[in-house]
Amino acid sequence: MATLPDLPTFNLSPSTLLDIATDLVNQVRQDANDLVNHVSPQNATFENTLRPLADIDNELKGKVQYLALFQAVSPSSEMRNASSVAVNMVDKAYLGIFQTPTLFALVNAVYKNYVDTKSEDQKLLNMIHSMFMENGLELEGDKRGRFLRISNRLIELRVAFMENLSSDPGYVWKDHYELKGLATESLQALPMHSSTSQRGIKLKKPDITMVLTRCHIAETRKEVFLRSQNIFPDNLEIFNEAVILRDESARLLGFSSFAAQKSRHKMIKSPHDVDQLLNELYNHLQPLAQKELGTLQRLKKRDGEDGDHSSCSLYLWDFDYYQDRLLREKYDTNHELIAEYFPTENTIRGMLKAFETIFSLSIAPIEVTKEQIWHSDVRVFSVRDEQSAFLGFLYLDIYPREGKYNHAANFNIYPSYSSVGKQKQPVATALVCNVSQPSSEKPALLQHRELITIFHELGHSKRN
């Protein structure tokens, strides 16, 4: 079996990360300038224009996602901040490529004269030409200047939005009686306040879900739910500004809305078609939803008759709790007991085995040094096809910690691509989740919803 390629290293300093970004930006700009200086619209072809542009695109995308990963997973706040700065630099350089009139003149010349011989080539040409068009190359004067300012501002907003997601969401502190319903071991696993006997509910997925599902006290569920929906308040202003700017930029390009601009590249080609689909789903599902809501409301009304609640109105912080109650009382389903059949480490091995069988893969753990991972929790696997050809690296980072991305996602560290005369770039991808952690008394156990999440994110990793 062939030896593995070298693993990426993650023991960088913030200054090194910024140096990598600076070198990448300079290289991309130099390559773009070389292309403009050596090709004219009169002699532009697919081979001398589109392939070099595709190589530039691959080179940039092959490194920027590595730089961006630190923003989501690094334990160091300095590294997360450096990653934000680096991504901002590189994204603006990338945007600049597709807002360069001389480059667009070359691509447009090929686009107008190209005779399709390979559908894949035509698809690449259409995609790159569209990227120039959607970056305002046909706009003039004040409209073009305004569009450029909006484009750069949207990059800044996206980077700031992601940076906020790694900030500390904080705790909700509650007395023991306010956490009635939680299992004793779950209660004892919550941190105790340094000056009171209150327990802290970390505003991350495992603790939030535990309280919303199991806590009998409605006011506790309400506070945890509302706080969990407002953990990154600075992002509200960012989101509002981004929505307004996206709409303005789409209208500058001649579209009726941002949704109209983007949907034309999707399977459903217009906002009208999206609305029609959603309305059809609503009409079919609404009677079923009303029936299920009625069942949950009757459960809450029964609590009211017992004096625990003053209203049978069902609120957003009630759904998980009464759904769990329904499963326990009507179907004798206990998710804590079910989780005992899914210890995290064994279950993940079983999941990977399933992917091996379905896709004819070989997935094996790799011994790594501390320089080759960003945290001691991270595990790395090699992935090979049925001929033992190496396909890429899979990283698993599944437990919550300070400064880490607060949801579940698959981060493509290095995309796979081929360049003329070069060896194919293998993929490196990271599954990042926040599932229930092990305790001193028992191993980590996966709740059913967490099992579904990991399977879902593993699906993204295999697609990469």
Side-chain angles (χ1 to χ4, degrees), residues 391-402:
L391 299 176
F393 295 111
L394 170 65
Y395 295 75
L396 298 186
D397 184 2
I398 62 173
Y399 298 119
R401 61 176 178 271
E402 296 298 324

Side-chain angles (χ1 to χ4, degrees), residues 181-192:
L182 300 191
T184 301
E185 61 183 22
S186 298
L187 192 62
Q188 292 175 346
L190 297 176
M192 184 177 289

